[in-house]
Amino acid sequence: MEFINSIILTLKSHTYFNNSLFNYIIALLIFLSIVIAITIFIRLVIKRIPLEDRVSNQFLAAVIETFRKRLIYISYALAVYSALTYLTTPKIVTNIIDKAVIVYISIIVIFAITDILKDINTDSLAKTGKNKVPAGIITILKALVWIAGLLFIFSNLGYNVSTFITGLGIGGIAVALAAQNILGDLFNYLVILFDKPFAKGDLIQFNTAVGRVEYVGIKSTKIRSSNGELLSVSNTDLTKTIIHNYEMAAKRRNVSVIGVEYETSVEMVHKIPALLEQAVRSVKEAEFARVHFSAFNTSSLDFELVYFILTNDYTEYTKGVQAVNFAILDIFAKEGINFAYPAQRMINQ
């Protein structure tokens, strides 16, 4: 016992930077004990909590898992802080330590929140792909989190954040005036997001272009045209045009003008509307709308046939039209009806 007391006295007699060796050893023991205790607690208690069994919501489980992973980094900061506060340090050093811990923990929390934003689109929160939060909104939310976090850090470092925000507001007006097109595209991105005229994967037509939407970005939308090239259209230009969204159609309409020869008998001309209706109704994917004898053309008797193909997929639509055309060919061949073609008759004077 006397030996231990003599060692303690010896350690206390040696002082460096206003702290004895004994104080440094105690601070080190405080640091190690906190780290060891928290590490054991995390490994033996927290990591063994069966989140999958206790938490049915996948998003909530992801939030808990994120903070569980970040807890070890926060615990190290608290251990260092506790050990250093035990020592006697100059006021300036104490202030630096306090601010460093605040900055460190703030950054850890910011990373934790951004990780949570990545997990928003879990199956429990978004049952279908179209209900998921778009990547552009996630990016905006992450930027806002970082801005709020940095403002919090600067405020705790002693900077006048209100002055900075005021200056940012004035500068923001100048930037807004200089970047009206970019802000316009951003606004129209929000219009597309909330109004939902189309979504990723939809087949749309705007102006004379037809293509499938591959990406809806903050500034522009990328569309793969039917010719194969990738079209990049600004959101402002896209929302100014009339957009035909074929994915939202339950069926597609087809109008065909069918001409037969003038030599066709009157009795057969009267039968043709019923024959064309029969041809459409013989195709399972087709829905008959109407047919009528529409015109006496230059070289043909014209019949206008209107029907629907019961799909919104363009490839399936063309297959349905082809099936109807084959059915018309078969019926006309069976009835001996000839299609008309442009012809000129020479009359001898």
Side-chain angles (χ1 to χ4, degrees):
M1 191 67 179
E2 293 181 0
F3 176 72
I4 295 175
N5 290 333
S6 64
I7 292 176
I8 293 175
L9 291 174
T10 302
L11 293 174
K12 288 184 176 181
S13 63
H14 292 77
T15 303
Y16 302 95
F17 302 105
N18 299 324
N19 292 281
S20 65
L21 286 176
F22 180 77
N23 290 338
Y24 286 116
I25 293 174
I26 295 298
L28 179 61
L29 291 175
I30 291 173
F31 172 77
L32 292 176
S33 60
I34 293 176
V35 171
I36 293 172
I38 293 178
T39 302
I40 292 174
F41 177 73
I42 291 174
R43 291 185 177 181
L44 298 183
V45 179
I46 294 183
K47 286 191 174 181
R48 293 192 177 185
I49 297 176
L51 288 179
E52 296 77 7
D53 299 334
R54 301 292 179 85
V55 182
S56 58
N57 187 292
Q58 295 181 21
F59 176 67
L60 181 57
V63 172
I64 297 174
E65 180 63 25
T66 297
F67 278 103
R68 188 162 67 175
K69 290 179 179 178
R70 301 292 180 182
L71 181 60
I72 186 67
Y73 300 107
I74 295 177
S75 66
Y76 289 151
L78 294 176
V80 172
Y81 182 76
S82 300
L84 291 177
T85 53
Y86 176 80
L87 300 174
T88 301
T89 56
K91 186 176 180 179
I92 186 172
V93 176
T94 302
N95 290 334
I96 293 174
I97 293 172
D98 292 340
K99 291 177 180 180
V101 170
I102 291 174
V103 171
Y104 179 80
I105 294 178
S106 298
I107 292 176
I108 294 299
V109 172
I110 291 172
F111 276 116
I113 295 175
T114 54
D115 286 344
I116 291 171
L117 292 176
K118 293 179 184 178
D119 296 324
I120 281 181
N121 288 329
T122 54
D123 292 336
S124 61
L125 189 66
K127 297 297 182 183
T128 62
K130 291 187 178 180
N131 290 333
K132 291 185 177 181
V133 181
I137 293 297
I138 298 294
T139 302
I140 293 174
L141 291 176
K142 287 181 180 179
L144 292 176
V145 168
W146 272 102
I147 292 173
L150 291 176
L151 289 177
F152 174 80
I153 291 172
F154 287 134
S155 176
N156 282 275
L157 291 178
Y159 293 97
N160 190 347
V161 178
S162 59
T163 304
F164 173 76
I165 294 175
T166 303
L168 187 64
I170 297 174
I173 295 174
V175 172
L177 293 175
Q180 293 184 30
N181 292 336
I182 296 175
L183 294 176
D185 289 331
L186 175 59
F187 175 78
N188 284 292
Y189 167 74
L190 297 176
V191 171
I192 294 171
L193 174 63
F194 294 108
D195 193 45
K196 297 180 180 179
F198 56 82
K200 181 180 177 180
D202 287 357
L203 180 67
I204 66 172
Q205 176 182 347
F206 60 97
N207 294 332
T208 58
V210 178
R212 194 168 295 277
V213 179
E214 290 194 353
Y215 175 75
V216 182
I218 295 177
K219 187 180 187 307
S220 64
T221 297
K222 292 179 173 53
I223 302 168
R224 183 71 62 181
S225 75
S226 54
N227 293 329
E229 68 265 27
L230 185 65
L231 305 178
S232 183
V233 187
S234 71
N235 294 328
T236 301
D237 292 339
L238 197 57
T239 53
K240 285 181 180 179
T241 63
I242 297 176
I243 300 172
H244 303 265
N245 191 331
Y246 295 112
E247 297 296 326
M248 295 184 179
K251 53 190 177 182
R252 287 173 175 260
R253 183 171 180 262
N254 181 273
V255 179
S256 298
V257 176
I258 299 169
V260 300
E261 293 179 338
Y262 267 96
E263 286 77 5
T264 306
S265 66
V266 175
E267 293 80 10
M268 187 58 71
V269 170
H270 280 281
K271 289 177 60 177
I272 287 177
L275 294 174
L276 291 174
E277 180 178 351
Q278 178 186 342
V280 173
R281 295 189 184 278
S282 67
V283 177
K284 181 180 179 181
E285 299 81 10
E287 178 184 281
F288 176 77
R290 62 180 174 82
V291 62
H292 61 272
F293 182 15
S294 60
F296 292 93
N297 208 337
T298 305
S299 57
S300 63
L301 303 173
D302 288 349
F303 294 82
E304 186 176 82
L305 173 64
V306 181
Y307 60 91
F308 295 91
I309 302 299
L310 305 178
T311 181
N312 59 13
D313 183 83
Y314 184 74
T315 302
E316 296 300 320
Y317 163 76
T318 56
K319 290 180 180 178
V321 173
Q322 175 181 262
V324 171
N325 289 339
F326 281 146
I328 294 173
L329 280 175
D330 293 340
I331 290 178
F332 275 28
K334 181 179 178 181
E335 297 292 335
I337 303 172
N338 295 323
F339 291 95
Y341 54 89
Q344 291 183 342
R345 296 178 182 271
M346 302 297 295
I347 300 176
N348 294 324
Q349 298 292 331

